[in-house]
Amino acid sequence: MALRGPVGLGPGSRRLLDEAVAASEVREAPALVAPGAVPEDDEEDDSRGRGLLRWDGFSAWLHCVCVVGFDLELGQAVEVIYPQHSKLTDKEKTNICYLSFPDSNSGCLGDTQFCFRFRQSSGRRVSLHCLLDQFDKDLPVYLKKDPAYFYGYVYFRQVRDKTLKRGYFQKSLVLISKLPYIHFFHTVLKQIAPEYFEKSEPYLEAVCNDVDRWPAPVPGKTLHLPIMGVVMKVRIPTYHDKPGTTQIVQLTPQADTHISVILPTVHEVDLFRCFCPVFLHSQMLWELVLLGEPLVVMAPSPSESSETVLALVNCISPLKYFSDFRPYFTIHDSEFKEYTTRTQAPPSVILGVTNPFFAKTLQHWPHIIRIGDLKPAGEIPKQVKVKKLKNLKTLDSKPGVYTSYKPYLNRDEEIIKQLQRGVQQKRPSEAQSVILRRYFLELTQSFIIPLERYVASLMPLQKSISPWKSPPQLRQFLPEEFMKTLEKTGPQLTSRIKGDWIGLYRHFLKSPNFDGWFKARRKEMTQKLEALHLEALCEEDLLLWIQKHTEVETVDLVLKLKNKLLQADRECLPVKPDTVEKLRTHIDAIILALPEDLQGILLKTGMT
């Protein structure tokens, strides 16, 4: 027999595992939602009642909170990190310092909000506890944490102050998190930052204490999050949700009197506002993002650059953008040399920049979007044109999309007419965003469904799964075999858009986005095969099997079965709870059929 698995854990490791699992169950028990079920809207208990340590609740949402100020001698400097035990390397602190302030040329007076993303220093230990991984598995793929990156959510204030030598008060309140919940954290900052600038550190400590009492960020559950007298009501999506819908539960007015802010989304940006200057070319930009092409957004301020980059990444949802993206990137960034070198082709990355210096440094990049100030909702700027890269001058270039790229697909005039009509009728920006998001969603789904259909055909038949052999392997992905399926089951079945779909697929199959998507699908399908293999084992009469085999073979079987259970727990295999219980019962029955000396050894080994 060819059961595979890790070496069994010793009793000490088992005890630690039991404690971790128990803690997970205690914390997550109210939050488990079956596929397709309507999540309950229970109030969560205080985190201390769930056996959590001080700051565990805080760490589930944030890594730390930083205050960045301007020192005449040092320049930008981190003044406060809270909680004080939070770990940041010197390189991470330097990145946070420079990314938390707009470039001097941006001229951001008043309050400005934006977002940045930076690489976690290599070699540092991951600070997030393993329980967060339990929540991560239920998220849509585009909301899963990237262990190599942090997000920084910034509220920057610059106001005249004659009492200061520079004549200006300049300070940023920054939330550092692994979670890509852009809209949620910007809303949190709107609630707390203005008051923080008036009341300083004691207020910040009170904010962090409130966050520490929040329930865990469990997908699929409606959460009530109190912060400094305001209660926010949010729901984090799950991978079971229908794409393009919001699942926030609206309570009756009587039950909802203590709710101050209801967020219909935790992660989405105002898509139409960001695409407004370029919506004539939105389909071409969708192709560039889908194919992982190097793309730079040149904007007048960090808020415009970060919103536009995030909108671009969001436009291929529910596909995840697997390459790097930087909503706000500066010349001081630790990856500046890596991303601006001319000794090799530009990397697959989307950069948002504001410093005019980049117009010269990045002029060799193949695709550049130059935008002006984003207009308030209801106004539409002049539509920019697609221009050849050779026309891009360093400083005085007009807004435009500078590229030599020729789209594979014909432009969809219907969506352009629909959005133009909305502008003429003064349709709210939110409604325009819904139309544009639905259009991108349908375009992405039309593109990905044929790939999903073909990849599903690579799965071995269930009847080929034998409990006494290793699970069968997936068939190999063959590009030419896939291309042949497009004639009958291609995107023409669901999309009205004409063009060179075959050429688009050929380009996509060489992109980082295909590589990331296929690896994720292959992992899911391999785990499904492992789960089916476990179920096949449960259906076997194992007591009859041991009667025909030696003690040595029986002990080997027990150890391998225990390792299968450990694998199911460690890799979160999609097995039914009763399958695991049935297998544990089988293991116990087999052990009891062995001599007492072997029983004692096997009961102490691994998990039962």
Side-chain angles (χ1 to χ4, degrees), residues 211-223:
V211 174
D212 190 42
R213 284 190 283 269
W214 284 357
V218 181
K221 190 169 182 65
T222 300
L223 306 171

Side-chain angles (χ1 to χ4, degrees), residues 55-65 82-83 86 208 211-212:
W55 299 119
D56 271 5
F58 180 92
S59 297
W61 291 90
L62 292 169
H63 179 72
C64 64
V65 179
Y82 206 87
S86 302
C208 293
V211 174
D212 190 42

Side-chain angles (χ1 to χ4, degrees), residues 21 66 95 146 161 173 175 208 264 309 373 398 431 433 487 516 590 605:
V21 171
C66 296
N95 274 330
D146 187 328
D161 188 337
L173 182 61
L175 308 180
C208 293
V309 169
D373 292 313
K398 293 179 180 177
S433 284
E487 190 178 339
I590 294 168
T605 307

Side-chain angles (χ1 to χ4, degrees), residues 135-150:
F135 311 143
D136 211 48
K137 68 183 170 61
D138 293 327
L139 287 167
V141 65
Y142 54 88
L143 284 183
K144 289 182 186 291
K145 297 189 310 293
D146 187 328
Y149 290 89
F150 281 118

Side-chain angles (χ1 to χ4, degrees), residues 533-560:
H533 188 233
L534 259 181
E535 287 174 20
L537 273 167
C538 284
E539 299 308 314
E540 286 293 303
D541 188 342
L542 298 180
L543 287 174
L544 180 65
W545 184 90
I546 66 170
Q547 290 171 18
K548 301 175 183 178
H549 292 77
T550 65
E551 275 185 11
V552 172
E553 288 172 316
T554 302
V555 170
D556 189 50
L557 172 66
V558 170
L559 293 175
K560 285 176 176 173

Side-chain angles (χ1 to χ4, degrees), residues 272-281 371 374 381-384:
F272 182 71
R273 182 169 175 265
C274 299
F275 271 94
C276 199
V278 292
F279 78 73
L280 289 177
H281 319 298
I371 56 173
L374 293 183
K382 184 181 176 183
Q383 284 296 289
V384 302

Side-chain angles (χ1 to χ4, degrees), residues 415-429:
I415 185 68
I416 290 168
K417 288 176 186 173
Q418 197 175 355
L419 292 171
Q420 284 175 328
R421 198 160 50 243
V423 171
Q424 290 160 3
Q425 296 169 355
K426 295 192 170 11
R427 188 185 290 146
S429 181

